[in-house]
Amino acid sequence: MTTTTSGAAEVELAIGGMTCASCAARIEKKLNRLDGVEATVNYATEKAKVTFREDVTVSDLIATVEATGYTAREPRPETARSDDSASGEGSAQEESDELRPMRQRLTAAVALAVPVIAMAMAPALQFEYWQWLSLTLAAPVVTYAAWPFHKAAWTNAKHGAATMDTLISVGTSAAFLWSLWALFFGTAGTPGMTHPFELTIARTDGAGNIYLEAAAGVTAFILAGRYFEARSKRKAGAALKALLELGAKEVTVVRDGREELIAVGELKVGDRFLVRPGEKIATDGVVVEGSSAVDASMLTGESVPVEVGTGDAVTGATLNAGGRLVVEATRVGADTQLARMAKLVEDAQNGKAAAQRLADRISAVFVPVVIALALGTLGFWLGSGAGLTAAFTAAVAVLIIACPCALGLATPTALMVGTGRGAQLGILIKGPEVLETTRKIDTIVLDKTGTVTTGKMTLLAVHTADGTGEDDVLRLAGALEHSSEHPIAQAVASGAAARVGTLPAPEDFANIAGLGVQGIVEGRAVLVGREKLLDEWAMSLPEELRRAKAEAEAAGRTAIAVAWDGEARAVLEVADAVRETSPEAIERLRGLGLTPILLTGDNKAVAEAVAAEVGIAPEHVIAEVMPQDKVDAVKRLQSEGRSVAMVGDGVNDAAALAQADLGLAMGTGTDAAIEAGDLTLVRGDLRAAADAIRLSRRTLGTIKSNLFWAFAYNVAALPLAAAGLLNPMIAGAAMAFSSVFVVGNSLRLRGFQPADR
């Protein structure tokens, strides 16, 4: 979709064909060379955000990307995406279609490569014509299955670049082509040829050596890593999809005194629509009839439901928790707060620098060096008169030993074991890019509602007047509140039922809008609600209850008065309760070198009371913030030079989670928050945040050590290869041992334990 602002147009393009962060950098560089064009290309989300002058067209931009060797297209309009999701089709089908070719290549590669590797490594399996069967099985792997690597290497070569794809393509091709030469023109095709277990260093002309297991094995291993990475990346837009699906799909409009059910997309500004108890408000508007309590916590972070009446503004996607409302629409479509929040998430995701994969960073230097070394080796041996065969043997050996099979295992195995262990502990890690950030973060921003607290209103305390029993208060107040749909009333009812058991049924019940409830319970006239409700019945709170009410409100809690038979009897305290594990979690986060900061849409009194309870200093509390302010708060901390992690659970946190260097989403929260986060804490326990960071750091350390050893074995063998002394059995053993080491090192992550075990 193209937008125009102050003479400049802006478009977002979906980019295809990128295999690493250097691809994104190349596309960005090409686009920015166009006059009047400013582009940012994000490898993680596979999108290009481009601002351009009127004399440049979208077709020009797409043509530039395609000339660079990649594909580009404008994303489909949101309405089309909504229609697809409504019909149960769309992204899931699209994801399946995009991954199918890679899955087919991976399946073929694994099925064919396993017997090739087995025959090469086990002499007992080397029957008379085993090498020809290996060729038959390996050929489809190196051609069909490895085609994406060859294609990417060719694209890179045309632009003077070398990446991991270059190393894979050149190494596997060299191993395969040399094996072909040895089989057809050397002695490797002789019936009965074997690769014996001889770990000797000796000069060889290579005519009897085949490296088919290296070519097939590297292809299969690295394809597996790419497939699992691609499957994870396909969810890049799920945060926006979750946000857009959060709103109501249908709405009951009131036209000419008649009620009519229509799709939300057909609503127009000025339309009046009906919202029944329990329904979502369809769009932003103003209440023109009725009163109710609206649960807006998913958008604003405010834990207490907001009382609304005629003339009050309401927000689309919030929940009507009480009475019947008639609302006049003031904003629809892309102008609503929900749509603007979706835009915030998108901007934050696109603005985040794409993480450069570790293997690509290493190979950016390693690949050109190895290719230069191979060419140097070839030239040296030709110049020394050793002969063409010996020179090519040494040069190809350099390429083969430099293409480590363990490199394909280094990241996927550690990530697989680390994420598997994380899943057992209620921690979901989205991908390898996430791990790099966990090492750098020094500040952790905690959303209050649903993260530090339970996110549910809870009965916390009962204060009674002299001569009044606590059980009597709970039984009578709980019975009356049980008949109300208000979230605070439900908190009182469930808290009372948990303490006194079965509640009696009220003989009479009435809801007093905005004040509370009244009725007859066990023959007594009972009032439960605000102090103002008691004032209307000429009842006042005694001094001790008035003091308890003031202290509760000072601590940010909701105080509810209870009276019967003409006297004020008690004050109940209701609030969003702090999770029992939160103080311990804060302490653990500090132990990891992080500074905890509390961020909330609640008022300052509530925020500071919660902060004091969990051990966060008042100067580290940011209160009364709206969703866009949360993003700004994270940006402000980042501008101070901090690396910021964010923990949240609501839709209102999604944009801030995306903006933060590391987003941790509580799995008990909304889909939008979960999809915008980098780590998901399934347990809904804040202690899992500390465990998640520890596990991520441990997994990153394992990946780094895997990458080091994957290269170290091969680098150590490079001088032997260049000297023409590399026996194929040594090459095979080095490759096998490096792979075994990498897998074993990764499996150590299975022993990771949370701090409390």
Side-chain angles (χ1 to χ4, degrees):
M1 185 172 66
T2 307
T3 57
T4 305
T5 53
S6 61
E10 187 178 279
V11 68
E12 192 174 76
L13 300 175
I15 306 295
M18 294 192 293
T19 59
C20 62
S22 58
C23 297
R26 233 176 358 261
I27 297 168
E28 190 172 299
K29 188 177 179 181
K30 286 282 188 181
L31 287 171
N32 284 325
R33 282 181 179 172
L34 297 173
D35 288 338
V37 172
E38 289 184 16
T40 303
V41 181
N42 191 316
Y43 168 63
T45 59
E46 297 180 331
K47 289 180 180 179
K49 191 174 183 179
V50 190
T51 304
F52 56 98
R53 288 196 315 235
E54 292 178 2
D55 56 336
V56 180
T57 66
V58 175
S59 299
D60 294 335
L61 301 174
I62 291 175
T64 301
V65 174
E66 290 176 344
T68 314
Y70 305 90
T71 63
R73 62 175 174 81
E74 286 191 78
R76 289 178 301 154
E78 293 299 341
T79 52
R81 278 187 256 177
S82 300
D83 291 343
D84 283 346
S85 64
S87 62
E89 301 171 2
S91 60
Q93 184 67 37
E94 191 175 311
E95 176 181 330
S96 176
D97 291 342
E98 287 184 19
L99 292 179
R100 187 179 294 119
M102 187 180 288
R103 186 166 55 248
Q104 289 171 342
R105 292 181 197 275
L106 173 60
T107 304
V110 172
L112 298 174
V114 168
V116 173
I117 296 169
M119 285 188 286
M121 295 299 173
L125 300 177
Q126 294 172 5
F127 56 91
E128 191 171 3
Y129 294 101
W130 72 275
Q131 67 271 48
W132 295 101
L133 176 60
S134 290
L135 174 63
T136 305
L137 296 174
V141 178
V142 179
T143 53
Y144 163 71
W147 175 246
F149 304 132
H150 302 319
K151 183 180 177 183
W154 175 244
T155 300
N156 294 331
K158 287 192 294 184
H159 295 89
T163 65
M164 185 65 202
D165 292 307
T166 307
L167 187 59
I168 297 165
S169 178
V170 172
T172 54
S173 298
F176 184 72
L177 293 173
W178 185 260
S179 299
L180 282 180
W181 184 90
L183 284 168
F184 286 99
F185 302 104
T187 59
T190 305
M193 185 278 289
T194 60
H195 278 175
F197 279 106
E198 292 178 0
L199 299 179
T200 57
I201 297 176
R203 185 71 49 81
T204 173
D205 66 4
N209 302 332
I210 60 172
Y211 299 93
L212 294 170
E213 77 283 358
V218 168
T219 300
F221 284 131
I222 297 181
L223 259 180
R226 291 282 174 88
Y227 171 73
F228 290 116
E229 180 185 19
R231 193 171 67 171
S232 174
K233 276 178 62 181
R234 289 281 69 79
K235 297 181 179 178
L240 297 177
K241 182 171 177 285
L243 273 173
L244 293 168
E245 289 184 348
L246 183 69
K249 301 295 185 292
E250 294 180 322
V251 58
T252 303
V253 293
V254 182
R255 290 174 178 166
D256 301 324
R258 292 184 299 105
E259 295 180 5
E260 181 183 345
L261 189 66
I262 64 170
V264 167
E266 297 176 27
L267 262 181
K268 297 180 178 62
V269 173
D271 279 347
R272 293 191 173 192
F273 58 92
L274 178 64
V275 189
R276 298 180 179 88
E279 290 183 346
K280 289 179 180 176
I281 296 173
T283 193
D284 297 359
V286 174
V287 177
V288 293
E289 184 184 317
S291 62
S292 180
V294 173
D295 182 358
S297 60
M298 64 182 69
L299 288 175
T300 66
E302 178 70 45
S303 55
V304 179
V306 179
E307 300 284 349
V308 297
T310 303
D312 290 332
V314 290
T315 306
T318 55
L319 188 68
N320 178 15
R324 177 183 182 276
L325 296 174
V326 176
V327 179
E328 182 174 310
T330 56
R331 288 195 294 258
V332 296
D335 295 328
T336 63
Q337 185 175 344
L338 181 65
R340 291 201 303 271
M341 288 177 66
K343 187 76 171 76
L344 276 174
V345 174
E346 189 168 27
D347 288 345
Q349 285 184 337
N350 287 334
K352 185 187 290 186
Q356 176 80 332
R357 291 181 309 184
L358 292 174
D360 274 320
R361 284 213 295 268
I362 297 170
S363 61
V365 177
F366 189 69
V367 175
V369 168
V370 167
I371 293 174
L373 182 59
L375 292 174
T377 300
L378 177 64
F380 173 80
W381 286 112
L382 285 175
S384 67
L388 185 63
T389 304
F392 266 93
T393 299
V396 171
V398 168
L399 289 174
I400 291 170
I401 198 63
C403 187
C405 155
L407 186 63
L409 291 168
T411 297
T413 54
L415 197 61
M416 187 171 12
V417 178
T419 54
R421 180 60 182 147
Q424 292 175 337
L425 302 173
I427 301 163
L428 301 181
I429 303 170
K430 285 197 175 176
E433 295 89 353
V434 173
L435 305 176
E436 292 185 76
T437 313
T438 61
R439 178 177 53 86
K440 304 171 187 173
I441 57 170
D442 51 36
T443 302
I444 186 160
V445 176
L446 306 169
D447 172 59
K448 182 189 77 69
T449 305
T451 303
V452 176
T453 64
T454 62
K456 296 179 181 178
M457 301 303 287
T458 307
L459 177 62
L460 298 180
V462 180
H463 303 279
T464 59
D466 290 340
T468 302
E470 189 173 305
D471 284 356
D472 291 337
V473 171
L474 290 173
R475 189 174 66 257
L476 298 175
L480 207 55
E481 294 282 52
H482 186 67
S483 299
S484 172
E485 295 176 344
H486 197 289
I488 292 177
Q490 289 300 306
V492 172
S494 27
R499 298 190 200 184
V500 301
T502 305
L503 300 173
E507 299 156 32
D508 186 26
F509 172 82
N511 181 49
I512 313 300
L515 293 178
V517 293
Q518 66 184 44
I520 307 297
V521 182
E522 295 181 343
R524 293 172 172 173
V526 183
L527 299 175
V528 184
R530 297 185 177 184
E531 187 178 2
K532 188 177 178 182
L533 178 63
L534 273 64
D535 291 341
E536 290 187 358
W537 288 81
M539 285 183 266
S540 59
L541 293 173
E543 183 56 34
E544 67 270 23
L545 293 185
R546 193 178 297 279
R547 190 166 53 248
K549 176 178 177 291
E551 289 173 357
E553 290 173 345
R557 297 175 177 178
T558 299
I560 302 164
V562 182
W564 66 79
D565 292 347
E567 288 184 35
R569 307 281 183 164
V571 166
L572 309 179
E573 288 187 34
V574 175
D576 181 10
V578 170
R579 294 180 189 270
E580 291 181 5
T581 57
S582 289
E584 183 185 350
I586 301 296
E587 194 57 40
R588 288 189 192 176
L589 291 169
R590 279 206 186 88
L592 292 170
L594 306 178
T595 301
I597 292 177
L598 189 68
L599 184 68
T600 178
D602 271 346
N603 63 61
K604 192 172 182 181
V606 173
E608 290 186 348
V610 170
E613 196 170 341
V614 298
I616 295 177
E619 62 268 23
H620 291 152
V621 174
I622 306 173
E624 299 176 10
V625 291
M626 295 299 289
Q628 59 270 29
D629 298 325
K630 290 192 176 186
V631 175
D632 291 340
V634 172
K635 285 182 179 177
R636 187 167 62 252
L637 291 169
Q638 290 170 328
S639 69
E640 294 171 2
R642 304 190 192 209
S643 186
V644 180
M646 166 84 184
V647 188
D649 76 322
V651 174
N652 62 302
D653 303 318
L657 286 169
Q659 174 62 39
D661 299 289
L662 179 71
L664 295 93
M666 302 292 276
T668 50
T670 64
D671 289 343
I674 291 169
E675 294 298 347
D678 301 306
L679 293 163
T680 301
L681 312 177
V682 178
R683 297 206 312 257
D685 182 343
L686 191 56
R687 288 180 301 181
D691 291 333
I693 292 169
R694 283 179 52 240
L695 176 60
S696 296
R697 287 177 176 177
R698 181 85 60 84
T699 305
L700 177 64
T702 301
I703 288 175
K704 285 186 171 181
S705 61
N706 283 351
L707 288 170
F708 171 78
W709 288 109
F711 279 106
Y713 286 120
N714 302 91
V715 170
L718 276 174
L720 293 176
L725 299 173
L726 190 64
N727 181 293
M729 203 58 234
I730 292 180
M735 191 172 290
F737 184 66
S738 63
S739 299
V740 169
F741 177 88
V742 162
V743 173
N745 193 38
S746 298
L747 288 173
R748 291 170 57 234
L749 288 167
R750 292 168 64 182
F752 176 86
Q753 293 291 343
D756 55 348
R757 293 188 190 176

